[in-house]
Amino acid sequence: MNDRQTISAGETLPDQLHDAVGNASYVVVFTGAGVSAESGIATFRDAEKAALWSRFDPMQLATAEGFLADPAMVWGWYTARRRQVMQALPNPAHEAIASLAERVPRVEVITQNIDDLHERAGSDRVTHLHGEILKSRCFDCGAPQDLSALSQEPDEQGRLEPPRCAACGGATRPGVVWFGEMLPEEAMNHAYNAAIQCDLMISVGTSGVVYPAAELPQPAHDNGAQVIHVNPERPPLVCERDWCLLGPAGSWLPRLLV
Ligand code: BV8
Ligand code: ZN
C-alpha cells in the first residue's frame, strides 16, 4: 500500500472509497475490540488506554487452565465485564455498520468481540468467532446455563464463585473462546467463506494479533476483494491494494457507510 492509500483523521474521504461501498454487492465487516472502544468497553492491547490485558494477565484469566486454577477470580472478572457490556450502548460505528444493510444487498458482520453491541445496533447477520459473554455453559457437561436470576457482584478482590450446573454440579464458565481453545468450527468456516466471496471487506478496530481470526483480511484480499482498514493505528497485516483510514471508527464509519 502506498501512502496515497493512507487517509488520516480529518482528511477528505476519496470518492473512490464511497464508490467501493456504493457499488459493493457483498460487504463483510470484520471487527475487533476497537469498534466497541467508543462505547466504553476496554480494548485488549491499547497501552495508553489502560487496556484490559495491561491490568490483567490474559494467560491467567482467558484460559481454561486459569479458570480451573482459580474459578472465582476468572468468573469474577467476566461478571464485571458482563456488567460493563450490559451498561454499554452501541456507538455511531455500530450504527453505521447496521445501516449499511439498507444500501448493500448482502452485509455480514464477522466479529472477534464477545459483546452484543452489533446486534443491539440492528445488525442481523453477526458471527461471533470468540463466543459471547452474555452466554454461559457448564464447564463439565456443556449444558447452557441461565444467568438471568444471578445478581451477586464480585467481592473487593474481584472474586465471585461461579454458579453450579443443576444437571451435573460442574462450574459455570463464560460462553467465550479462551486462548488455547479451538474457535467454533462452523463460525470459522462461515467467516472464511464470507472473506473469499465478498467484494469488499472493512476491517475495523483490530490489532490483528489473535489467530486464526487475524488471518481473515488476507483471503479476502487474495480473492480480489477491496480491503479497507479503520483504526487509529496502522494494523500489521496491510496488503498492497488495501486502504487505511487512520482514526476512530465512530468518526470514519458514519462518513464511509452512511
Ligand atoms: C486457537 C475471548 C487452536 C475471551 C479472545 C497461530 C495460529 C493459531 C493459533 C495461534 C497462532 N499463534 C498463536 C496462537 C494462539 C492464540 C493467539 O493468537 N495468541 C496471540 C495472543 C498470539 N490463539 C488462540 O489461542 C485461539 N485458539 O488458535 O486454537 C490452537 C489451540 C492450541 C494451541 C494453538 C492453536 C483462540 C483465540 C481467542 C482468544 N479469545 N477473546 C475474552 O474476550 O475474554 S481474544 C481477544 O483478542 C478478543 O476476542 C479480541 O477481540 C481479540 C483480538 O484483539 P482485538 O479485537 O484486535 O483487540 P485489541 O485490543 O488487540 O486491538 C484493539 C484495536 O482497536 C487496536 O488496533 C486499536 O488501535 C484499535 N482501536 C482502539 N480504539 C479504536 C480502535 N479502532 C477503531 N476505533 C477506535 N475508537
Ligand atoms: Zn453440567
Side-chain angles (χ1 to χ4, degrees), residues 31-171:
T31 65
V35 79
S36 299
E38 291 157 90
S39 296
I41 295 180
T43 65
F44 291 80
R45 294 168 187 83
D46 289 357
E48 74 279 6
K49 297 191 183 70
L52 221 41
W53 299 134
S54 60
R55 285 179 280 137
F56 295 97
D57 174 1
M59 291 310 148
Q60 183 197 4
L61 297 183
T63 63
E65 297 73 17
F67 181 72
L68 291 173
D70 191 346
M73 183 72 227
V74 174
W75 183 255
W77 183 52
Y78 279 91
T79 299
R81 288 176 68 195
R82 196 179 314 111
R83 294 273 183 275
Q84 191 186 46
V85 166
M86 291 162 78
Q87 287 157 7
L89 293 174
N91 68 56
H94 297 106
E95 288 160 356
I97 292 166
S99 72
L100 190 56
E102 295 155 20
R103 295 176 53 203
V104 172
R106 186 172 178 189
V107 178
E108 295 259 0
V109 177
I110 309 289
T111 187
Q112 300 170 85
N113 298 343
I114 58 177
D115 64 54
D116 64 339
L117 295 181
H118 283 302
E119 290 89 341
R120 279 199 267 151
S123 290
D124 54 12
R125 300 170 74 110
V126 182
T127 300
H128 287 270
L129 295 177
H130 294 158
E132 298 175 69
I133 198 167
L134 299 182
K135 293 180 178 168
S136 296
R137 65 176 187 270
C138 172
F139 188 91
D140 293 340
C141 73
Q145 301 294 305
D146 176 9
L147 301 182
S148 53
L150 284 185
S151 57
Q152 282 174 297
E153 291 301 325
D155 65 18
E156 55 279 5
Q157 279 80 41
R159 301 173 62 80
L160 178 63
E161 281 301 329
R164 288 283 156 181
C165 170
C168 76

